[in-house]
Amino acid sequence: MIGVFTGHEKSGKSYVMSCIASSALKGYEILNFKLNLDGGSMLWFDMEQSGFFFHKTQERIYKYAGLAQQTQIYDAYHLRAMTPDQRLKVVEHYVYNTPGLSCIFIDGFVDLITDYNNLELVQQLVNRLLKWSDEKNILIMGVVHVNK
């Protein structure tokens, strides 16, 4: 239960994820996507965008869902200022301490490790994501940039 959105910079990966998040909050299709949380909650972790664009993304999620304010089933966290180790600890904390969690969005998988060219670190991250998904029975969706 791990989904990865890959593409070049500014190709719309975060936009598509935000539409899926909106569909879960609204309960109907957006861009032909529909996510059913089965009564659970959802979290969004942004590692890449500036504070301005993080807030714009969150505004879009609420707007597309037709919500004027925050809801109890969704929280978003801006973690760009943290180190990769700090980000990973924060995400893991919320994965294990959010009651009824159904889905998490991670905008920037590689921002959870210090060297994305290190196969051992990448495998450790993948194993951790698989563990979270299995132990908590959650869907994990995230972004990976394609580079030369």
Side-chain angles (χ1 to χ4, degrees), residues 41-59:
S41 61
M42 180 172 61
L43 299 173
W44 182 287
F45 299 98
D46 191 304
M47 324 295 176
E48 299 180 338
Q49 298 186 83
S50 68
F52 175 81
F53 286 108
F54 167 76
H55 290 292
K56 287 290 187 190
T57 298
Q58 297 310 307
E59 287 174 4

Side-chain angles (χ1 to χ4, degrees), residues 60-119:
R60 179 175 53 244
I61 290 170
Y62 284 102
K63 178 182 174 183
Y64 286 9
L67 299 171
Q69 60 186 7
Q70 287 188 295
T71 174
Q72 293 181 2
I73 65 166
Y74 177 68
D75 281 308
Y77 302 94
H78 185 241
L79 308 180
R80 181 176 172 174
M82 297 179 174
T83 68
D85 288 338
Q86 291 171 326
R87 293 178 193 134
L88 191 59
K89 287 177 184 173
V90 167
V91 173
E92 188 165 69
H93 169 80
Y94 283 104
V95 164
Y96 285 104
N97 293 289
T98 303
L101 186 61
S102 294
C103 177
I104 66 171
F105 294 89
I106 299 175
D107 198 346
F109 278 135
V110 298
D111 297 308
L112 294 172
I113 55 177
T114 54
D115 180 5
Y116 58 83
N117 288 315
N118 181 320
L119 293 179

